[in-house]
Amino acid sequence: MAIEQKDIAAIREDYSKDSLQEKDVDENPFRQFSLWFEQALRAAVIEPNAMTLSTINQAGFPSSRVVLLKDFKSDGFSFFTNYNSQKGQDLEANNKASLLFFWPELQRQVRIEGFVQRLAEEDSDEYYASRPRGSQIGAWASPQSQIIRDRAFLEKEVQVYEERFGQQKSVPRPDFWGGFFLLPVRFEFWQGRNSRLHDRIVYQKKGTKWETNRLAP
């Protein structure tokens, strides 16, 4: 049975779990993010580190996909990928990107915009070494974002690299795989509220300082 448009339009969620006031937010957006992230962990949000990464592709279109945040510090956010993948190529051509975290259990989202650069090789090596061996093999086996014949091709490539590295204690990181680091210039913290009158607090970087304002929902 086909879903009618009116059925989709009728989907509604009441947002009433919390509020976000200017007096309650930290003056530093990284500390505010850390606070919300810790609350997402305590609320048992499913994969709280899942984020939508948006890049600009070579045709000039925005391109989005969900990736996993692997670390955040006082100046930025880290994630990892195949540098030859679509997102890797996008970021090499245009280093402007955005991140979106959505935590429905808390009726919250965080939008972050900034500039991306590659992580240092030693940081990529350290994270790669911490991955399960199957994921390490997968990084070698998958020509990410490229067209492949079928699933059997991928499984055969996995077998090839399992045999190649089978006798080795550790699997080396391929030079085409590693981390990116996003340095933010803008944050927006969104808290759902009743009647769609949501709270939106935005941080904009001005020189070395952060300017904070409220946006209309």
Side-chain angles (χ1 to χ4, degrees), residues 7 31 54 69 80 83 95 98-100 108 111 116 127 138 167 200 211:
D7 296 327
R31 290 197 295 263
S54 296
L69 174 71
F80 294 83
Y83 290 135
N95 71 337
S98 69
L99 308 176
L100 170 64
R108 290 175 175 173
R111 298 168 60 193
V116 175
Y127 173 69
Q167 303 304 315
R200 298 173 64 191
E211 179 180 281

Side-chain angles (χ1 to χ4, degrees), residues 142-153:
S142 174
Q144 192 172 344
S145 300
Q146 295 182 28
I147 295 174
I148 59 175
R149 294 190 304 273
D150 49 28
R151 177 77 185 186
F153 168 84

